[in-house]
Amino acid sequence: MRIFDPHIHMTSRTTDDYRAMYDAGVRALVEPSFWLGQPRTSPASFFDYFDALLGWEPFRASQYGIAHHCTLALNPKEANDPRCTPVLEALPRYLAKDSVVAVGEIGYDSMTPAEDHALAAQLQLAADHGLPALVHTPHRDKLAGLHRTLDVVRESALAPELVLLDHLNETTVKDALDSGCWAGFSIYPDTKMDEDRMITVLRNHGTDRILVNSAADWGKSDPLKTRKVADTMLKAGFDEDDVDKVLWRNPVAFYGRSGRLQLGTTAPGSLHEGNSILRGGE
């Protein structure tokens, strides 16, 4: 079984997690830039973090046979802090880097005017750089947040098929898919979605344009949730092709639109040996 975790924050995880993920079948991942748990006080702290996602973390992943990619952005929570907003001006030089496969996480936290501006500006940056966008739907008032997000996406230059709406649930999946965007689901131990709820979503809505992630971070989370969803799918009657589509081919198809997705034969200790660059839906 091959697994691509399309949203996981490995900066907050240990090397033991990398080893366990490889043993569970994870061969590729995308790490979105996110809020680190306390306020950043200057753009320079973002730049150090971006450099780590572009250098150190891919090296660390390669030691465990996992291809590491990232998305970079000013995240929604910090879009409200004027000390952080100059990051928007510096993003273009980072979005040109080879391992950046989308702009993200962008979207809404508290649905403020500052977040409106940051979301619209970064959707434009994605369009300018020929990249997809990973969009965070808010944890509070999720349906209203989704509708506000879709309004901004429709007004942007970025086509909906280049937008992944993440952290969805049963109340938002239909509107997300009807919009033409991709639908992402985060599987958590206690919050967000769980494996059984995910199975219900797949039964009701099919497997097209649906991605499943662990979104593992500093809090209570589980970097093996992708494998647990795969195992639950098989027990629920889905076949191996369904599992491969949701856990591998769908994330490859979405992030492959960047033209920068590097996948190939890797083994623990290798440095992405034998990688090929995938473009579009290859």
Side-chain angles (χ1 to χ4, degrees):
M1 183 183 296
R2 57 182 182 172
I3 294 173
F4 188 136
D5 192 330
H7 184 149
I8 184 169
H9 301 290
M10 293 308 298
T11 297
S12 63
R13 311 305 302 192
T14 67
T15 52
D16 288 346
D17 289 324
Y18 271 124
R19 186 180 302 279
M21 290 164 64
Y22 181 88
D23 290 344
V26 177
R27 296 295 181 269
L29 62 85
V30 168
E31 178 165 0
S33 56
F34 78 135
W35 184 58
L36 291 182
Q38 66 180 37
R40 292 183 175 93
T41 58
S42 75
S45 59
F46 279 88
F47 305 149
D48 290 338
Y49 174 49
F50 292 168
D51 287 342
L53 292 182
L54 292 165
W56 169 243
E57 210 56 50
F59 172 77
R60 200 164 71 110
S62 72
Q63 303 307 293
Y64 295 88
I66 297 175
H68 182 288
H69 311 82
C70 68
T71 76
L72 301 180
L74 174 66
N75 70 77
K77 194 175 186 71
E78 288 169 320
N80 296 295
D81 190 334
R83 296 174 299 179
C84 300
T85 52
V87 170
L88 292 171
E89 299 172 8
L91 269 173
R93 67 187 175 96
Y94 284 97
L95 297 180
K97 303 296 184 179
D98 288 343
S99 61
V100 179
V101 294
V103 177
E105 296 176 56
I106 59 178
Y108 286 112
D109 178 53
S110 301
M111 290 185 279
T112 64
E115 292 170 22
D116 288 331
H117 171 73
L119 174 56
Q122 292 181 102
L123 287 172
Q124 185 61 52
L125 283 175
D128 292 344
H129 287 79
L131 292 173
L134 171 61
V135 179
H136 168 106
T137 58
H139 301 304
R140 303 177 299 278
D141 204 1
K142 189 171 285 291
L143 186 58
L146 175 70
H147 290 162
R148 187 162 172 174
T149 299
L150 290 175
D151 287 342
V152 179
V153 170
R154 292 186 190 105
E155 294 170 358
S156 77
L158 198 64
E161 60 265 26
L162 291 173
V163 176
L164 170 57
L165 302 168
D166 216 342
H167 306 315
L168 297 178
N169 60 19
E170 298 90 341
T171 69
T172 52
V173 56
K174 184 179 185 301
D175 288 352
L177 289 172
D178 287 349
S179 74
C181 297
W182 293 68
F185 296 85
S186 302
I187 315 300
Y188 264 46
D190 295 326
T191 60
K192 298 186 174 74
M193 297 285 288
D194 63 25
E195 295 92 325
D196 293 331
R197 290 169 62 194
M198 192 66 233
I199 294 303
T200 301
V201 167
L202 292 169
R203 282 178 171 155
N204 291 339
H205 298 278
T207 58
D208 291 344
R209 287 186 287 122
I210 286 182
L211 281 70
V212 172
N213 64 70
S214 69
D217 55 20
W218 300 103
K220 187 175 182 180
S221 50
D222 182 353
L224 303 183
K225 279 294 188 182
T226 49
R227 176 57 189 256
K228 292 173 182 177
V229 168
D231 291 340
T232 305
M233 286 179 68
L234 292 173
K235 291 177 182 177
F238 289 90
D239 62 26
E240 292 182 1
D241 186 69
D242 295 325
V243 171
D244 191 69
K245 181 178 180 180
V246 173
L247 274 301
W248 184 267
R249 300 199 309 271
N250 282 355
V252 167
F254 177 74
Y255 286 115
R257 291 172 176 267
S258 68
R260 299 174 178 176
L261 200 60
Q262 299 188 43
L263 302 172
T265 302
T266 58
S270 71
L271 294 176
H272 301 295
E273 294 176 3
N275 279 356
S276 59
I277 297 178
L278 300 187
R279 302 178 186 276
E282 294 180 24

